Amino acid sequence: MRILFLFQIFDYRRSTIYLDLVRECRDRGHKVTVIAGTSDMDLPDGVTEVEGIRTVYMKLPDQFGVGSVKKALIQMSIPGRIRMILKDGFKDDTFDIIAYPTPPITLAPVLKYCAKRYRSAVRYLMLKDIFPQNAVDLGMFSKHSPIYRYYRRMERRLYACSDRIGCMSEANIAYLKENDPEIPDRKLEYFPNTVALRESLDIPAAPCERGLRIVFGGNMGKPQDIAGLLRGIKACGEQPELDRVFFYFIGDGTESRLIEEYIEREKPVNLTYRHQLERPEYEKLLANADVGLISLSKDFTIPNFPSRLLSYMQLSKPVLAVLDEATDMDECIGEAGCGISVRAGDTGAFVEGVRALIRYKDRLPEMGVRGRRYLERYFNVGVSVDILERAYRG
């Protein structure tokens, strides 16, 4: 197959589900082209080859930590820039699959161009964010605002311009069927987050007598309900029987200031925070951890499925998942037998979840192994490439 991937942001130096997907397509012998945004102005212009993959970078301003208006303007500029790249650099090319994730939701104009230019290509949406509803859930704007109505029109146009819509879970599919009934059922299918399988790190875990080390790594933003996690950590610190439970937060985001303010104010002995670690250090920390932590805001009405779960499964780590009512991740964790799920927004349930982990401590390694086996069977990147290949064959 000749596959064109369109990414808002992409980096060959950072391990992500998209990098794994692109490499697996290449390794199967498919001809892969990537058009992707980057804020690294030192990367080459024009068509280049990286790891045997044709790549064109769109030089975009950094979107991290900028205002919503600036981010919206950047995202609205992406379709026109992709169209110019296709017209100037790929005049004689044809594609069989054009695949693109959300965000952004602003790609409909370039997809219409692709429909005319590459008539036989299957336009495949890898649906990761359901926007703008996720922003409404987090209180960023009202469902009655002009901003919402504008983005909702863009979202519907994106769905209409896509031949297939790959959803992260069955709950995602059910959500779209209920809220966007105009989408034909034939467009919707299961397309999970997947990763390339890697060998577990050969790092022996240091002993932690009677205690528990819980790591939370990645984005620290509103979707992760950092304030709720801090309330749970504080409550754990007030329980004498949990005095050997330690939390390690590694990452950055719009809510990281809440962590810094909490540490400055409360001086907790059970919480350590670092904005970032070099990857070898982070992997060593995670390898030494007992449990990986996942958190979603209780306010979500859309079903999220964070890829953070796969990072923990990859390293055979059991999980403590703090989940909202909309997601079906708890069903996955239960089926895999790889951890404990508690309801988001319930501090008491968080503390009880930690207590349960202490009770099950001798069984935690077994939970982690079950998670790794589940990953190998259901979240192997080969599963995603199989789905793209089937979409091409029709």
Side-chain angles (χ1 to χ4, degrees):
M1 292 190 304
R2 294 156 296 187
I3 308 174
L4 171 63
F5 287 102
L6 308 176
F7 295 119
Q8 177 181 219
I9 195 78
F10 185 79
D11 192 334
Y12 286 96
R13 298 164 297 186
R14 292 181 60 243
S15 179
T16 66
I17 58 174
Y18 300 127
L19 179 57
D20 287 350
L21 178 60
V22 166
R23 284 172 169 166
E24 179 68 14
C25 289
R26 174 206 61 194
D27 292 346
R28 289 200 185 186
H30 301 306
K31 185 178 180 181
V32 180
T33 300
V34 170
I35 299 177
T38 180
S39 58
D40 186 346
M41 299 303 163
D42 293 329
L43 290 173
D45 295 315
V47 180
T48 186
E49 185 169 302
V50 184
E51 299 186 9
I53 298 162
R54 284 196 309 177
T55 305
V56 181
Y57 295 109
M58 294 179 289
K59 304 297 179 61
L60 302 174
D62 190 356
Q63 298 179 55
F64 183 79
V66 302
S68 57
V69 173
K70 183 175 181 180
K71 181 175 287 188
L73 291 173
I74 294 170
Q75 293 187 354
M76 284 188 289
S77 74
I78 290 175
R81 300 184 69 168
I82 293 176
R83 180 172 176 170
M84 290 303 298
I85 289 170
L86 290 172
K87 288 180 68 175
D88 294 343
F90 302 97
K91 293 179 181 179
D92 302 319
D93 284 75
T94 59
F95 298 103
D96 302 308
I97 293 276
I98 302 173
Y100 41 94
T102 52
I105 62 165
T106 55
L107 291 180
V110 75
L111 295 177
K112 284 191 172 182
Y113 169 79
C114 289
K116 295 178 181 178
R117 179 77 178 271
Y118 314 110
R119 294 181 182 275
S120 63
V122 177
R123 299 179 300 279
Y124 200 104
L125 170 60
M126 301 177 288
L127 187 66
K128 305 303 180 185
D129 285 350
I130 298 179
F131 183 87
Q133 185 57 49
N134 59 356
V136 172
D137 291 345
L138 297 174
M140 297 173 67
F141 47 75
S142 165
K143 204 165 187 174
H144 305 291
S145 69
I147 298 173
Y148 172 82
R149 291 195 293 271
Y150 169 77
Y151 278 126
R152 185 70 171 117
R153 286 195 300 271
M154 296 294 289
E155 179 190 19
R156 285 176 168 145
R157 287 177 64 193
L158 179 65
Y159 296 159
C161 289
S162 300
D163 297 311
R164 296 286 183 90
I165 302 175
C167 302
M168 294 186 293
S169 73
E170 293 299 330
N172 273 233
I173 295 174
Y175 181 91
L176 287 187
K177 286 184 176 181
E178 179 179 352
N179 292 276
D180 294 274
E182 70 277 7
I183 301 175
D185 286 355
R186 60 177 171 74
K187 279 193 178 186
L188 300 172
E189 66 181 349
Y190 177 53
F191 188 87
N193 293 330
T194 57
V195 292
L197 299 179
R198 298 175 180 87
E199 293 298 322
S200 296
L201 294 177
D202 187 20
I203 300 175
C208 185
E209 294 298 330
R210 294 193 309 111
L212 204 67
R213 293 158 298 197
I214 302 175
V215 171
F216 182 64
N219 187 47
M220 306 286 173
K222 285 184 178 294
Q224 289 74 40
D225 187 21
I226 299 302
L229 285 180
L230 293 174
R231 287 193 294 271
I233 290 170
K234 182 177 181 181
C236 286
E238 294 168 350
Q239 312 301 313
E241 71 275 21
L242 301 181
D243 65 340
R244 297 289 294 169
V245 176
F246 303 99
F247 296 86
Y248 301 86
F249 280 20
I250 312 296
D252 212 338
T254 57
E255 301 296 283
S256 59
R257 60 177 178 78
L258 297 180
I259 308 171
E260 294 169 336
E261 291 169 1
Y262 173 79
I263 291 175
E264 177 66 24
R265 183 178 66 252
E266 302 290 340
K267 306 292 191 299
V269 297
N270 65 342
L271 174 61
T272 299
Y273 175 51
R274 294 281 298 274
H275 280 280
Q276 60 183 5
L277 285 176
E278 294 296 325
R279 187 165 190 83
E281 289 183 78
Y282 174 70
E283 290 183 339
K284 183 177 181 180
L285 176 66
L286 191 53
N288 270 306
D290 298 294
V291 177
L293 179 61
I294 296 168
S295 178
L296 288 171
S297 169
K298 65 179 176 57
D299 297 322
F300 276 125
T301 63
I302 60 167
N304 292 289
F305 201 99
S307 60
R308 197 181 311 232
L309 173 64
L310 278 57
S311 300
Y312 299 143
M313 285 179 160
Q314 183 87 265
L315 290 173
S316 302
K317 296 300 172 183
V319 297
L320 171 61
V322 185
L323 303 177
D324 61 274
E325 294 184 2
T327 184
D328 54 349
M329 179 177 274
D330 53 341
E331 297 176 17
C332 171
I333 292 171
E335 183 177 294
C338 65
I340 293 174
S341 302
V342 300
R343 188 60 63 207
D346 188 336
T347 300
F350 182 89
V351 174
E352 286 306 312
V354 174
R355 283 199 181 104
L357 291 170
I358 290 287
R359 289 196 302 270
Y360 301 152
K361 186 171 182 188
D362 291 343
R363 294 162 53 188
L364 294 181
E366 178 187 344
M367 288 184 186
V369 170
R370 287 201 295 263
R372 169 71 188 204
R373 289 173 181 163
Y374 195 89
L375 173 83
E376 292 171 355
R377 182 171 182 182
Y378 296 107
F379 297 139
N380 182 343
V381 69
V383 171
S384 293
V385 180
D386 288 345
I387 294 171
L388 292 179
E389 290 173 344
R390 286 198 299 270
Y392 167 64
R393 293 194 297 266

